[in-house]
Amino acid sequence: MRIALHWIVACAVAISMARAQGVTTATLYGKVRSTSGEPLVGATVVAKHEPSGTVYGATTRSTGEYTIPGMRVGGPYTIRVSLVGYQKQERSGIYLQLSQSVRQDFVLTAQDVQARDVVVVAEQSPLLNASRTGAATSIDQRTTITLPTITRRIEDITRLTPQMGSGMSIAGQDNRLNNITIDGAYFNNSFGLAGQPGDRTGVAPISLDAIEQLQINIAPYDVRQGNFVGAGVNTVTRSGTNQWVGSLYYFFRNQDFVGT
């Protein structure tokens, strides 16, 4: 009886942990080809997150394609591609969006051929983009820092999505029908009194300085995102870097804010 009870408890904990998981990473993928258009097999693709020094790597498959899942969001990233007999190629300034797949293709020149300048030509995105996972608005840290805010709360940032209404009402739904996650964990008001913790007292539940990226999902095609009727507000916090940084802010009010 005791063993059966232990199994029941373990299964319940596992189910609750699985439900609490959310999308907190990004994916990098693409194809490596030669100048003649043939796929290159066994090419090494290394992506380095410059602020922290985190390194991710993959090897191209028989089709010349590679995939690096589970990467931290933000950037900038520096991507290096190398293969014996071919000129190495490096690309920097790559930023990854939360729960999105970013495509980076490379064309390598044979080593015995004199290397010329590589011209990157932007292509018009098709109407149906396979890297998109539904109607969503992604907001990076740079936007969060520069956007004017009054209350320093999440709703000052989520207003960038076109479906945003008054308060945290998104897509015409009550704010209590949203699903707010921080680093994959649920961050809703369990008592149903308001849309998020701190709404009743006007306190920000999380500092905007701690947010790396924020994404508002209206109708995602990703089965990992759900448990909402209005929108899924997916937030990931910042990670450490190799430099000491800090921030300071204060609130004030004087006669300049009062009309005559």
Side-chain angles (χ1 to χ4, degrees), residues 28-30 32 42-50 53-60 66-68 71 76-83 88-94 96 104 106 108:
L28 182 69
Y29 75 104
V32 180
T44 302
V45 182
V46 177
K48 181 179 180 181
H49 186 258
E50 294 297 342
T54 307
V55 178
Y56 303 88
T59 304
T60 56
Y66 70 94
T67 304
I68 309 178
M71 301 179 65
Y77 276 90
T78 299
I79 306 175
R80 297 179 178 88
V81 181
S82 60
L83 182 64
K88 295 181 181 180
Q89 190 173 142
E90 179 177 315
R91 192 174 298 172
S92 58
I94 306 299
L96 303 183
Q104 292 291 325
F106 294 88
L108 301 185

Side-chain angles (χ1 to χ4, degrees), residues 7 11 37 56 61 64 77 81 97 101 132 137 146 150 174 187 189 199 221 225-226 251:
W7 274 105
C11 292
Y56 303 88
R61 302 182 289 272
Y77 276 90
V81 181
Q97 298 293 331
S101 299
R132 301 287 296 181
T137 302
T146 57
I150 298 177
D174 189 271
F187 207 68
N189 195 323
D199 277 351
Y221 308 144
Q225 303 185 36
F251 294 99

Side-chain angles (χ1 to χ4, degrees), residues 6-29:
H6 289 173
W7 274 105
I8 294 175
V9 174
C11 292
V13 172
I15 293 174
S16 63
M17 291 178 62
R19 290 186 60 188
Q21 291 178 351
V23 183
T24 60
T25 57
T27 301
L28 182 69
Y29 75 104

